[in-house]
Amino acid sequence: MIPDRRQYARRRKPWYWDLPLAALAGMVAIVVLQANEPLFLGFNRLSAYTGDGFWANLTVLGDALIALTLFLPLVRRWPELVWAGVLAGVLAFLFVHGFKHSLGVPRPASVLPREQFHVIGRVLLTLSFPSGHAATVVMLAGVITLHLPDDRRRRWSWLLLGLAGFVGLSRVVVGAHWPLDVLAGTVGGWLAAVLGTVWAQRWAWGVTPTGRRWLTLLLAGCALSALLFYRTGYPQADLLQRILALLALLGAAYQLGVERQEAARFRAETDRC
């Protein structure tokens, strides 16, 4: 069921703008205090306390293909959320790559001596600003938060945003991004979630039967790719990646089975009448 405009209006509270405004304030503070490099070096050392595997598994949750795979089990039961997420993903992609390719900011591995910090996964050198992983995971958390009922939103929003924050932090710990990149990705990801939700409200193609079928096929293709072919660049997270993809496919298959049973039951009852 698509939320009506009055329901969405109740959700547009000032709290929803606190996150991007706080991230922008953090960016200003980092620039003024020239703290980008010291913060990077400080956070990057966290892997010494946990091992590389923890952060590698955490960081793949911000991968765009993995995020699309996570939407798959929801596409039949909650199509309005998934449709808003797909549209928000398009906006986040345009935001991230528009800035990446226009600014061309070098990554830490291009600026700092390698002995000063630790890299987990493949070494990335260019297109640092903003962080695509941070934008993706914040977009995902934002879309879910905006679609939760008021009572559940108060309970789950901080958990979702906390997880998104750790995924963003992981981009610094793995040595791929500066803190400034992560905060910029947070701003773009949250705004993409808000605008994608509004866009989905006005263009409801994704919740039509045709739209749901195409979204199911698209997301099933993403899950199959994640299960069989896709490489995130973090071998320590390959098992988690495949588990998530398999669970997503099984969840979608279960939903389809339930729908077919309900349709068969409805036809049987109609025939008896």
Side-chain angles (χ1 to χ4, degrees):
M1 183 178 65
I2 305 174
D4 59 31
R5 293 185 183 276
R6 288 177 298 176
Q7 184 181 11
Y8 181 68
R10 291 196 297 270
R11 295 176 179 179
R12 284 187 289 175
K13 299 175 182 177
W15 182 86
Y16 292 128
W17 303 105
D18 287 352
L19 182 63
L21 289 175
L24 282 172
M27 292 174 66
V28 171
I30 287 175
V31 172
V32 171
L33 298 174
Q34 298 182 345
N36 204 29
E37 184 176 320
L39 284 174
F40 170 81
L41 293 173
F43 287 130
N44 181 255
R45 297 189 184 101
L46 290 176
S47 62
Y49 303 100
T50 61
D52 292 357
F54 174 79
W55 297 102
N57 281 277
L58 196 59
T59 207
V60 298
L61 298 178
D63 186 277
L65 187 76
I66 304 303
L68 289 171
T69 296
L70 294 175
F71 275 133
L72 177 60
L74 304 176
V75 70
R76 311 301 299 182
R77 181 71 62 154
W78 211 350
E80 66 272 14
L81 181 149
V82 174
W83 179 229
V86 170
L87 295 178
V90 171
L91 296 175
F93 176 87
L94 294 175
F95 170 84
V96 168
H97 290 277
F99 277 104
K100 276 184 181 291
H101 292 282
S102 61
L103 298 178
V105 176
R107 294 184 188 254
S110 293
V111 177
L112 301 174
R114 283 294 306 277
E115 62 271 15
Q116 286 191 7
F117 69 102
H118 181 58
V119 174
I120 301 172
R122 61 189 174 193
V123 178
L124 302 173
L125 300 175
T126 59
L127 304 180
S128 186
F129 182 94
S131 167
H133 281 64
T136 298
V137 74
V138 170
M139 178 276 294
L140 182 64
V143 167
I144 295 174
T145 298
L146 289 170
H147 284 78
L148 287 174
D150 288 338
D151 55 339
R152 293 185 181 180
R153 189 182 317 121
R154 285 190 292 269
R155 187 182 312 141
W156 291 101
S157 58
W158 295 110
L159 179 62
L160 290 168
L161 294 177
L163 176 61
F166 273 107
V167 174
L169 177 63
S170 74
R171 300 308 292 159
V172 179
V173 180
V174 302
H177 281 287
W178 304 101
L180 205 59
D181 305 337
V182 173
L183 291 176
T186 299
V187 173
W190 189 264
L191 294 180
V194 173
L195 295 175
T197 300
V198 174
W199 189 3
Q201 287 270 321
R202 298 184 178 181
W203 180 33
W205 177 84
V207 301
T208 65
T210 300
R212 290 172 67 194
R213 282 193 295 270
W214 280 104
L215 285 176
T216 301
L217 289 173
L218 169 67
L219 298 177
C222 292
L224 284 171
S225 178
L227 180 65
L228 301 174
F229 310 112
Y230 186 63
R231 296 292 181 270
T232 62
Y234 299 94
Q236 304 96 323
D238 283 350
L239 179 60
L240 175 64
Q241 172 189 327
R242 284 166 175 74
I243 289 174
L244 292 176
L246 182 59
L247 290 176
L249 289 166
L250 291 175
Y254 173 77
Q255 290 293 333
L256 287 170
V258 169
E259 287 184 11
R260 288 186 177 182
Q261 288 180 355
E262 292 176 349
R265 189 180 304 115
F266 177 78
R267 286 195 299 268
E269 292 176 355
T270 302
D271 292 341
R272 284 197 297 270
C273 295

